[in-house]
Amino acid sequence: MSLAEPAALPVATSAAPRLDVLKRLGTRFRASLPAYLLLLPSLVFLALFTYGAMGRVLVDALYQRATPKAPVRFVGLDNVAAVLADPAFSGAVVNNLVYAVGTAVPSIGLALLFALALSRTNAVSSALRTALFLPVLIPMVAASALFMFIFLPNVGLLDYYIGRLLPVLPNWLGDPDIALYAIMVITIWKNAGYYMLFFLAGLQAVPEDVMEAAHLDGAGPYMRLRHIILPELKPTFLFVTVIATLNAVTQVDHVFVMTQGGPSNSTNLVLFYIYQQAVEHYDVGKASAATLLTLAALMGLTALSFRTMANREGGP
């Protein structure tokens, strides 16, 4: 019996730290339980409508259904191959690239110009900021209806004011060569004021003492813009570029209202192509495959952008 008693001591001493760990975990859980309860509605929403939807798209991309009432059959990656081989998809991708560049560059340029012009806060600049931001508050469907009236052939506001200058009036939304550029105008009009807010916030971070020192040293407005303001706005430029790219892929309400992807698929964008496959052709597998390809491209672009931002912030 005297030999067995010392053997029980290590068991008792090893159980004590485990109990302490369990007590600490229980205390932390009770302390953080209110926070998790507050987050629960958002977590449920994300699980059902974001991650659940992504999982459903991933599953649908692996199956195919010939007709609405036909049974589904597993096809693997055939839907992805069919999307990549579809000329309509490649055309939509090219249109989206042109649309993204043609809307992001002018929108960001105008936003920077507006922010520089209205960086000083006074009554006039505040009124102008409000006026430039108003298009953001107008729904895209309502704005599209407004621009359809502006682009109406022969009787629209645009033709009325430039009709005396051009020998032949173009059909802004009916000509395949200019229809895509016509719908770019509405996106630039809506987004320039929105991006202006980010540049106004970025300008607040520009050191005033550095600007004053550069002014005293004889640096003109262009030199201060090039060597002080623009370098300080690099993170803002990167963030706004990502937002503008996402908007170029996800904003297609004006395409639905104004052109329906025409004429001759000249305004068919990737998201409208997905809509056509899912709703008009009832090819859910192909639409899901196109969605996965689009998500992969956007996630890759976003990851690359944030990695670039992190490298610049961590650099000298």
Side-chain angles (χ1 to χ4, degrees), residues 39-102:
L39 289 174
L40 184 61
S42 298
L43 295 176
V44 172
F45 182 86
L46 286 174
L48 292 177
F49 298 103
T50 301
Y51 302 114
M54 292 176 61
R56 176 63 184 271
V57 168
L58 179 61
V59 173
D60 288 341
L62 302 176
Y63 291 86
Q64 189 178 53
R65 177 180 292 170
T67 61
K69 296 183 179 180
V72 296
R73 60 187 183 90
F74 181 79
V75 295
L77 298 178
D78 289 351
N79 286 322
V80 177
V83 169
L84 294 176
D86 190 355
F89 178 75
S90 58
V93 170
V94 172
N95 289 339
N96 230 140
L97 291 175
V98 175
Y99 176 80
V101 175

Side-chain angles (χ1 to χ4, degrees), residues 33 48 60 64 66 73-74 82 131 148 225 252 270 277 282:
L33 182 60
L48 292 177
D60 288 341
Q64 189 178 53
R73 60 187 183 90
F74 181 79
M148 282 190 68
L225 175 65
V252 292
V270 172
Q277 299 303 318
Y282 203 81

